[in-house]
Amino acid sequence: MNGKELLLTRRSIRSFTDEVVSREVLKEIVEIAKYAPSWKNFQVARYTFVDDPTILNRIATEGVNDFIYNTNTITKTKGICVLSYVKGKSGKMDDDTFGSSKENSWEVFDAGIASLQFCLAAHSKGVGTTIMGVIADEVISEIVNLPDNETVAALIVYGYPAGEPRKTSRLEVDELARFL
Ligand SMILES: Cc1cc2nc3c(=O)[nH]c(=O)nc-3n(C[C@H](O)[C@H](O)[C@H](O)COP(=O)(O)O)c2cc1C
């Protein structure tokens, strides 16, 4: 698959086969994901993989703010990546002041870039993903025992896709792009 095909064929996947994604493959995915750009190359994103059915069940029931759609998706997965980031770094200059009016929002931005790079890396290996933002991040932090200096940005459910993904539409280029 070339780069364009990779970008155009990634879809959010919410149905998975029973095949488990091995820890070896997950490490290969992180090996690619880690090349995501980040503020001052701080590389604040962290990937906590959960494949223990008891912990998955707790996240499905306690970690999605009662959003049943996400509960149902998690119930169909064999694994979740808790995408977290190290707090208090991105957005800062060498003298510890913020580099822009967005202040520390750049840490969420970094986590977003890392998430997409993770999803594309997974897709390149035939692994489907969905990023989830409707989550109870503090509850999840507690469930997975996240270090105090990190916070949860998103969940990424993953697995080998079952069936064809849902088609999603996109706006026209003329609605998205402006030229001055
Ligand atoms: C920041 C963010 C949060 C999202 N949260 C959820 C979610 O909580 N549950 C879900 O099923 N999909 C979630 N999605 C997936 C989007 O619904 C999906 O990317 C969008 O509909 C486009 O579909 P596609 O990824 O198949 O192209 C989220 C995506 C992003 C980027």
Side-chain angles (χ1 to χ4, degrees), residues 10-14 70 81 83 111-119 129-135 153-158:
R10 182 216 53 82
R11 289 275 76 77
S12 293
I13 303 296
R14 299 179 179 84
N70 281 352
C81 172
L83 196 300
I113 295 174
S115 296
L116 178 59
Q117 183 113 343
F118 178 90
C119 293
T129 55
T130 289
I131 297 170
M132 287 184 174
V134 186
I135 54 168
L155 294 180
I156 305 179
V157 295
Y158 61 80

Side-chain angles (χ1 to χ4, degrees), residues 7-71:
L7 295 176
L8 292 182
T9 58
R10 182 216 53 82
R11 289 275 76 77
S12 293
I13 303 296
R14 299 179 179 84
S15 295
F16 304 97
T17 68
D18 284 338
E19 189 180 347
V20 171
V21 182
S22 70
R23 292 185 178 187
E24 190 178 50
V25 168
L26 293 169
K27 280 188 178 177
E28 288 169 10
I29 292 170
V30 175
E31 184 62 46
I32 301 170
K34 76 180 190 183
Y35 285 91
S38 62
W39 182 280
K40 282 172 74 65
N41 200 22
F42 281 154
Q43 305 171 61
V44 295
R46 298 290 181 271
Y47 311 84
T48 302
F49 293 100
V50 178
D51 54 17
D52 179 310
T54 309
I55 304 177
L56 284 177
N57 188 51
R58 277 197 71 193
I59 293 175
T61 51
E62 300 169 37
V64 295
N65 290 333
D66 296 327
F67 185 45
I68 193 73
Y69 189 64
N70 281 352
T71 300

Side-chain angles (χ1 to χ4, degrees), residues 1-13 120 123-124 164-166:
M1 203 179 336
N2 67 29
K4 182 179 172 185
E5 282 166 351
L6 184 77
L7 295 176
L8 292 182
T9 58
R10 182 216 53 82
R11 289 275 76 77
S12 293
I13 303 296
L120 290 170
H123 181 44
S124 76
E164 281 302 302
R166 201 179 61 177

Side-chain angles (χ1 to χ4, degrees), residues 58-125:
R58 277 197 71 193
I59 293 175
T61 51
E62 300 169 37
V64 295
N65 290 333
D66 296 327
F67 185 45
I68 193 73
Y69 189 64
N70 281 352
T71 300
N72 288 342
T73 304
I74 295 172
T75 307
K76 287 183 269 172
T77 68
K78 290 266 179 284
I80 288 179
C81 172
V82 178
L83 196 300
S84 60
Y85 59 84
V86 178
K87 293 182 279 189
K89 298 185 75 166
S90 301
K92 295 251 181 89
M93 306 298 284
D94 288 339
D95 64 1
D96 220 34
T97 59
F98 286 114
S100 82
S101 67
K102 297 285 182 282
E103 300 197 338
N104 61 359
S105 314
W106 291 103
E107 55 194 16
V108 183
F109 193 94
D110 279 351
I113 295 174
S115 296
L116 178 59
Q117 183 113 343
F118 178 90
C119 293
L120 290 170
H123 181 44
S124 76
K125 297 199 164 288

